[in-house]
Amino acid sequence: MSSISIIVASDQNMGIGKNNQLPWHLPADLKYFKSVTSGHTVIMGRKTFDSMGKALPNRRNIVISRQTNLRYPDAEVVNSLDHALELTKEDGNVFIIGGAEIFKQSMEIATVLYHTEIHHEFDTDTFLAPINRDLWKEVKREDKQPDDKNLFPYSFVVYEKYG
């Protein structure tokens, strides 16, 4: 049985995107994302995949889409989260990487949540649902200050589901 985790970055208002792009440039978060997900399976919606432009290297890429004839090189396409999870049940660590609708569908089944909190407000049009503190306990936090490459304060926070 695989372990299902969510990995996401948001601003202080839980905004996660604008026009299908990240509204911030935070190299440290991209490096963190790569270090956490490399060597594992990533599941995402079609818009998230399209925003990246190509499959993520050194990861099994699974894209969820309602389009039945959609094909991508280096990525598997399925029509539901359930189908993606069925394909990955022997994969060990599986990461849900976006977008908002896939995160929403995954909150009940995920057991770990990697959340980069960016302590700044951005112009966003897509949001992550608030994290229910009755279901999730914070188990690790690394607070980071801005530097010459990362212009905003941020925190890498890991939550685990109670029970």
Side-chain angles (χ1 to χ4, degrees):
M1 179 91 179
S2 57
S3 164
I4 310 297
S5 300
I6 293 171
I7 187 164
V8 62
S10 74
D11 75 356
Q12 62 193 26
N13 295 324
M14 302 302 278
I16 61 172
K18 171 82 174 185
N19 299 324
N20 206 35
Q21 297 294 319
L22 293 176
W24 50 77
H25 179 67
L26 202 64
D29 182 53
L30 298 175
K31 183 177 178 183
Y32 178 74
F33 175 91
K34 182 178 181 180
S35 73
V36 171
T37 63
S38 280
H40 302 293
T41 298
V42 292
I43 297 174
M44 71 208 86
R46 180 196 52 83
K47 290 179 188 175
T48 298
F49 185 85
D50 287 348
S51 74
M52 296 184 311
K54 62 181 178 10
L56 294 172
N58 194 29
R59 283 157 274 210
R60 180 181 185 189
N61 288 251
I62 299 179
V63 179
I64 301 170
S65 175
R66 292 184 191 97
Q67 299 176 33
T68 56
N69 61 346
L70 194 62
R71 301 288 177 267
Y72 292 113
D74 303 323
E76 299 164 71
V77 180
V78 298
N79 63 2
S80 69
L81 178 60
D82 286 342
H83 189 189
L85 295 174
E86 180 65 27
L87 291 177
T88 62
K89 64 184 177 193
E90 304 297 326
D91 282 12
N93 293 329
V94 175
F95 290 89
I96 308 297
I97 66 168
E101 183 57 34
I102 306 300
F103 288 139
K104 184 177 177 184
Q105 293 176 29
S106 304
M107 278 293 180
E108 286 189 28
I109 57 169
T111 56
V112 181
L113 172 61
Y114 295 85
H115 185 206
T116 300
E117 299 174 352
I118 303 168
H119 307 293
H120 187 82
E121 183 177 337
F122 294 89
D123 180 17
T124 58
D125 61 13
T126 309
F127 297 87
L128 183 68
I131 296 168
N132 183 341
R133 302 301 175 133
D134 292 333
L135 300 177
W136 297 95
K137 64 180 172 191
E138 184 177 313
V139 296
K140 185 177 179 186
R141 173 179 290 269
E142 293 177 54
D143 296 320
K144 306 288 186 174
Q145 294 305 312
D147 57 36
D148 52 346
K149 291 182 182 172
N150 301 278
L151 303 180
F152 310 99
Y154 58 97
S155 301
F156 295 133
V157 186
V158 180
Y159 296 90
E160 291 178 356
K161 188 144 310 149
Y162 283 108

